[in-house]
């Protein structure tokens, strides 16, 4: 089994929290930038003449940048409205893989050389970060009825959206 380098990440984030209108409105926001080095990415390797295939991993580099906003409002007693939106742009900056059979470069990949010899390829330009939606949006409305002898009753409806993801 090959040895993989440990994952490392540098992360920057800036944000704010705001309460207004006698604490009936709350707005939070943040923007972030994460830079990964040696990100361990699981890959499926099909069986070949040199191996049995199965799961393997590689050390890639990637950046994740985006923002998120959350809003909560209580316009009247008992009624709560919530909403959130998030954006994420995740890209590989290095995605080293072995050469294909016959030492052929995959279209869209760049050669990785050592001592003038091509030893692999960098497929960052065509690799997709998996299971990461670009957009997420939520919206909810809840109402809590006045307390009764049976307790406090409430109703709530929520909606959530997630843009398509790459598998």
């Amino acid at each position: 089994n090959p040895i993989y380098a440990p994952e490392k990440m540098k992360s920057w984030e800036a944000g704010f929290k705001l309460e207004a209108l006698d604490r009936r409105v709350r707005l939070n926001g943040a923007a972030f930038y994460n830079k990964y080095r040696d990100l361990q990415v699981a890959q499926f390797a099909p069986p070949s003449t040199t191996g049995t295939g199965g799961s393997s991993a590689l050390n890639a580099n990637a950046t994740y940048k985006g923002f998120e906003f959350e809003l909560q409002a209580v316009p009247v007693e008992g009624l709560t409205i919530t909403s959130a939106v998030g954006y994420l742009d995740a890209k590989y900056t290095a995605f080293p893989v072995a050469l294909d059979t016959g030492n052929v470069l995959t279209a869209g990949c760049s050669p990785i050389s050592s001592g003038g010899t091509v030893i692999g390829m960098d497929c960052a330009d065509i690799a997709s970060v998996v299971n990461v939606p670009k957009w997420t949006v939520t919206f909810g409305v809840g109402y809590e009825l006045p307390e009764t002898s049976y307790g406090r009753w409430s109703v709530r409806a929520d909606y959530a959206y997630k843009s398509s993801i790459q598998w």
Side-chain angles (χ1 to χ4, degrees):
N1 286 341
I3 297 173
Y4 301 101
E7 292 183 350
K8 295 180 181 165
M9 181 183 72
K10 290 183 180 178
S11 180
W12 297 268
E13 182 173 350
F16 66 89
K17 295 182 181 283
L18 170 74
E19 285 187 343
L21 302 175
D22 200 23
R23 299 178 118 174
R24 289 188 171 273
V25 176
R26 179 180 299 142
L27 178 65
N28 300 328
F32 57 90
Y33 181 85
N34 299 328
K35 188 174 181 178
Y36 288 92
R37 184 169 171 225
D38 295 323
L39 180 65
Q40 294 179 11
V41 180
Q43 297 290 297
F44 174 75
S48 68
T49 57
T50 59
T52 59
S55 294
S56 66
L58 59 87
N59 286 119
N61 296 340
T63 59
Y64 286 53
K65 56 187 173 182
F67 61 84
E68 52 194 13
F69 292 100
E70 300 170 343
L71 175 68
Q72 180 180 22
V74 183
V76 295
E77 189 67 33
L79 179 64
T80 302
I81 301 169
T82 59
S83 183
V85 62
Y87 172 79
L88 179 59
D89 181 25
K91 293 188 187 321
Y92 288 114
T93 56
F95 197 89
V97 296
L99 291 171
D100 288 340
T101 305
N103 293 336
V104 177
L105 285 175
T106 300
C109 298
S110 305
I112 299 173
S113 299
S114 176
T117 303
V118 175
I119 58 169
M121 53 187 165
D122 183 354
C123 298
D125 291 339
I126 62 170
S128 297
V129 179
V130 298
N131 205 22
V132 177
K134 192 165 283 276
W135 289 98
T136 55
V137 177
T138 61
F139 179 77
V141 176
Y143 187 75
E144 189 173 277
L145 299 162
E147 189 168 351
T148 68
S149 60
Y150 295 109
R152 204 173 274 254
W153 293 80
S154 64
V155 294
R156 181 159 181 90
D158 291 297
Y159 170 79
Y161 166 79
K162 178 171 69 169
S163 63
S164 63
I165 58 173
Q166 179 70 39
W167 284 99

